[in-house]
Amino acid sequence: MNALQKLFRRKEPEPQGITLEIQSGFTAFGGTAYGNAAFRSAVDAIARHAAKLKAHAQDSGIENLLSGSPNPYMTTYDLLYKTATAYFTTNNAFILIQRSRNVTAFYPLTPASVEFIGTQDGTLYTKMMFSDGKEVLLPYADIIHLRRHYSTNELLGSDNAPLYPLIETAHTLTEATGAAVKNATNIRGVLKFTSLVNPAQVKAEKDQFVKDYFNLSNTGGIAATDQRFEFVPTAQTAYNVPQEQAEAINRQICAYLGLSPKIVSAEYTEDEFAAFYESLIEPFAIQMSLEYSRKCGGEITFTAERLEFSSAATRISLLRELLPFGVISINESRKLLALPEVPDGDRRLQSLNYVTADKADAYQFEESEVQENETDTDTGV
């Protein structure tokens, strides 16, 4: 019994005697996109960084779940990675909230199809079918639902139809490249007979020639023939993959997802990663924060404090500027340097060269009074 079978061993009863008001269907893209290497590596790059987000919740129980093990089968990293992968692959991500009296677990779901059933009393259900054919009916109030390209459908993110031609072109290019390489090395030469020979003898002579000379034991690399036939080698032309065309398709796939190819290859600068964070990771974090908060009944936020994309020089410069003002604590400073926290590290240090504005005003006022008294003494007043 797998995890989902154990979780869904009791099916939610079908709504009975209720007039259906809303129906909307969703079918996941049949795996073709995620089966493409360029698309998968791009989604993987996004998901790996999205999985670094850190959850904070007003409810300590929920924060504990989202900080370590959201369910018995995975870590928070797994949950966020799987959620981001589904979000960018099918434009819809579903997470089941398991409740007793309080929230007890979060399970990411990857249904093959989803049907939304609205009832006259305002209750909305999701009817999900999984790849193994199992169906479950769940209250939509217990489903965290993240949507991308949310425009044409009332309840779902739109499909990836604009992506299909790109994936198809990439697949055709890969198939053509493989076939061309295979054909280029398939025929290595022709045995040209100098006299008429029956087909059976031609095949026998060819098989014997291949057996004698086209094997690893022929270390000398020399073949011998007599006057019956001659071996004419074919030109072995190396097939060059059209690199420009392949790169253009990969760039378009990355552009569709909204990221630079440099993020995928991990060759980004600080500014390039900052742009990637602001354009992809931050909106994803905001959407998760709002949806988790709405469905769980308390504020939950996902922050990027673990996305350390600045260089060591930038971090040191930042600490040099901020520490004297007491803006960050010792442990916050150590976190910037990827160091563990220390006891009593929540203290803030501040340079004595800086004072608060009201103390500065009082200090200047006292200095002014001293100068006036000294002036009066000098003039004999």
Side-chain angles (χ1 to χ4, degrees):
M1 179 180 291
N2 62 33
L4 286 179
Q5 288 174 335
K6 185 176 180 181
L7 182 63
F8 298 140
R9 58 182 178 272
R10 288 185 299 179
K11 184 177 178 182
E12 188 82 14
E14 293 272 1
Q16 299 292 330
I18 302 174
T19 302
L20 302 183
E21 291 184 334
I22 302 173
Q23 286 194 333
S24 182
F26 152 79
T27 301
F29 185 34
T32 306
Y34 198 65
N36 174 264
F39 183 85
R40 181 178 294 198
S41 59
V43 170
D44 174 68
I46 300 171
R48 280 186 285 108
H49 291 294
K52 298 178 185 178
L53 293 169
K54 186 173 178 62
H56 302 275
Q58 290 178 329
D59 187 313
S60 60
I62 292 178
E63 181 161 335
N64 289 336
L65 284 173
L66 294 175
S67 296
S69 182
N71 63 64
Y73 309 103
M74 61 187 65
T75 64
T76 302
Y77 182 95
D78 299 327
L79 170 68
L80 295 178
Y81 183 96
K82 197 172 180 68
T83 301
T85 300
Y87 178 78
F88 285 98
T89 301
T90 66
N91 297 330
N92 290 276
F94 304 94
I95 302 99
L96 173 65
I97 307 170
Q98 188 178 54
R99 307 178 197 264
S100 177
R101 294 184 62 182
N102 300 313
V103 176
T104 58
F106 295 96
Y107 291 89
L109 306 177
T110 53
S113 64
V114 173
E115 182 183 359
F116 289 83
I117 304 175
T119 64
Q120 200 170 34
D121 64 356
T123 304
L124 186 63
Y125 291 88
T126 56
K127 189 174 185 179
M128 295 186 175
M129 177 180 285
F130 296 88
S131 57
D132 60 358
K134 187 173 182 61
E135 285 189 357
V136 293
L137 186 69
L138 301 166
Y140 188 63
D142 290 337
I143 299 291
I144 293 169
H145 183 194
L146 308 177
R147 297 168 279 213
R148 183 170 177 260
H149 295 318
Y150 183 39
S151 57
T152 58
N153 194 291
E154 292 83 2
L155 295 170
L156 291 159
S158 301
D159 61 21
N160 281 317
L163 181 66
Y164 301 164
L166 279 176
I167 299 298
E168 185 64 31
T169 302
H171 176 72
T172 302
L173 180 61
T174 302
E175 290 288 311
T177 301
V181 172
K182 190 174 181 179
N183 291 335
T185 58
N186 211 18
I187 300 178
R188 301 159 74 176
V190 177
L191 282 180
K192 184 178 179 181
F193 287 85
T194 57
S195 61
L196 293 176
V197 182
N198 66 66
Q201 187 177 355
V202 169
K203 186 177 186 307
E205 293 285 359
K206 183 266 294 181
D207 291 343
Q208 188 63 43
F209 188 84
V210 170
K211 180 180 177 181
D212 290 343
Y213 302 113
F214 287 90
N215 58 66
L216 295 178
S217 62
N218 184 20
T219 56
I222 303 298
T225 65
D226 55 22
Q227 293 182 349
R228 291 174 301 158
F229 57 83
E230 61 177 315
F231 176 72
V232 181
T234 57
Q236 298 293 320
T237 304
Y239 181 79
N240 294 321
V241 177
Q243 194 66 22
E244 299 81 4
Q245 188 175 0
E247 289 177 355
I249 293 174
N250 291 346
R251 283 196 302 270
Q252 290 180 68
I253 291 174
C254 286
Y256 180 82
L257 291 169
L259 80 161
S260 166
K262 290 185 178 181
I263 301 297
V264 180
S265 60
E267 297 174 329
Y268 48 80
T269 64
E270 289 182 42
D271 292 338
E272 288 167 342
F273 191 91
F276 161 67
Y277 166 75
E278 291 176 3
S279 61
L280 277 180
I281 303 300
E282 187 176 34
F284 179 70
I286 291 172
Q287 189 175 0
M288 281 205 303
S289 299
L290 294 173
E291 182 70 354
Y292 269 82
S293 299
R294 187 169 75 95
K295 293 295 178 70
C296 294
E299 185 177 6
I300 300 172
T301 57
F302 290 85
T303 60
E305 56 201 72
R306 287 192 289 209
L307 270 75
E308 301 168 350
F309 52 84
S310 56
S311 66
T314 299
R315 295 178 202 176
I316 292 171
S317 176
L318 184 66
L319 291 177
R320 187 182 295 116
E321 296 294 329
L322 295 181
L323 273 175
F325 292 96
V327 175
I328 56 179
S329 67
I330 295 174
N331 280 336
E332 288 170 334
S333 304
R334 292 178 63 84
K335 188 180 294 185
L336 278 175
L337 298 175
L339 297 173
E341 295 184 354
V342 294
D344 199 28
D346 293 329
R347 294 181 298 113
R348 297 176 186 271
L349 304 180
Q350 183 170 344
S351 171
L352 292 176
N353 294 325
Y354 303 98
V355 296
T356 59
D358 54 345
K359 290 184 178 180
D361 291 340
Y363 175 77
Q364 289 180 337
F365 181 73
E366 291 175 2
E367 283 290 309
S368 177
E369 284 189 335
V370 170
Q371 289 177 359
E372 287 180 2
N373 291 334
E374 289 178 351
T375 302
D376 292 341
T377 302
D378 293 339
T379 58
V381 178

